[in-house]
Amino acid sequence: MASTATSCSFRLISKHKEPRNNGASMHQYNSLKALREATFNPNGSLISTSAKCRAIKAILAPKRETDPKKRVVITGMGVVSVFGNDVDTFYENLLEGQSGITLIDKFDASTFTVRFAGQIRNFSSLGYIDLKNDRRLDDCWRFCLVAGKKALLHANLGQQILETMDRTRIGVLVGSGIGGMTTFSNGVEALIQKGFKKITPFFIPYSITNMGSALLAIDTGLMGPNYSISTACATANYCFYAAANHIRRGEADIMVVGGTEAAVNPTGVGGFIACRALSQRNDEPHKASRPWDRDRDGFVIGEGAGVLIMESLEHASKRGAKIIAEYLGGAITCDAHHMTDPRKDGLGVSSCIAKCLQDAGVSPEESMIGHGLGAAGGLEAIACIKAITTGWLHPTINQDNLEPQVDIDTVPNVKKRHEVNVAISNSFGFGGHNSVVAFTPFNP
């Protein structure tokens, strides 16, 4: 998103989830600081992070892609979130600063030290999943199927239209950080309590992380590239990056791509408590997620799915598709540092941002950035694209006591009108996985 070139401070919008640990929002800031103090080659590649800010101002933006076969556009979006299964409703709630964080009632969490989450309620798959399969599926795959089919419909790619197309040229790449955790937990419980003969035959298929992409393809007949990526909270952005490259290499015309997660269950919540990663504001769950705030005490676990339809400009134009935005580029790197803690110098992230800008053909002073388990990047991408199309930035809620060293506009508590020229979404995951993707308004 746009910032002025007259100063070297980056402006940032933070999504309503913190990254890896309690200090993660400051980790992201330090990464931005490292980037704006970096030295770049004339082509935009990172040389070092020791030079002064003026080094960034001097570089020229790399050339953007112009080949319509390689330009990647967004033609559809689908979401399952705590605010419902409608993209507009999802973003309107973000703009109003609504919190989707509530006390858990999906299971008895009364003995847990953390008793709240971004739990999805009143979810319905009616019209998207047949009743027989719906009863068997893990929520992770139910969310994936609904978000994916909604995205296809939004792109005017309903089943009747798909059947007239070359479906070997349409792929699916929906990742998950954890996969079917409820199915896995129930299977282990059945094994321990009743023996192996009581394990459901769906235990393995509905636990493994690739099943979202597989089920969506089975239901729609899409025979192009199909797999999943699992890189913790960075998953969805890894998927966007890989899907775009399939299109750019001519291996697919359309990719159905995003992330899905459903880990609000005893194992998921208990596991993150054991990591000491979660906020413990049980008395004020709606105020628990506090990016950039000095009083933050951890992140809040959530669930949902976010899916985009990515398509070559050439193919979208030929079929007369409505183009929502354009994917400019992306990058992936690794901190190579620690399983859960980020690098203190932010080098892994700053180099990832620099590589993304180079791939996107964007100079550093053009952009304003944001961050948010496996579905986070998918939801963030939709929020970024809605910011592009509406001109409104949603607020970072619960920001009452800003970290003093943060000198960027984090859009605290109240939405802001802003012309968005470039939107960058950052996602960082356990294992040190970093992923950055860039979107822009579509200009023919």
Side-chain angles (χ1 to χ4, degrees), residues 106-107 117 138-140 143 178-182 260-272 301-304 373:
K106 183 181 287 188
F107 63 92
D138 191 284
D139 277 348
C140 191
F143 297 163
I178 297 175
M181 179 171 269
T182 298
T260 185
E261 207 75 83
V264 179
N265 54 43
T267 304
V269 176
F272 279 105
I301 188 173
E303 58 186 358
L373 298 190

Side-chain angles (χ1 to χ4, degrees), residues 52-73:
K52 293 185 178 181
C53 180
R54 62 177 177 270
I56 285 183
K57 294 181 184 178
I59 75 167
L60 297 175
K63 187 176 180 181
R64 293 189 186 178
E65 183 62 67
T66 58
D67 185 346
K69 292 182 179 180
K70 295 182 179 181
R71 288 179 66 181
V72 179
V73 295

Side-chain angles (χ1 to χ4, degrees), residues 2 27 94 266:
H27 154 61
L94 289 182

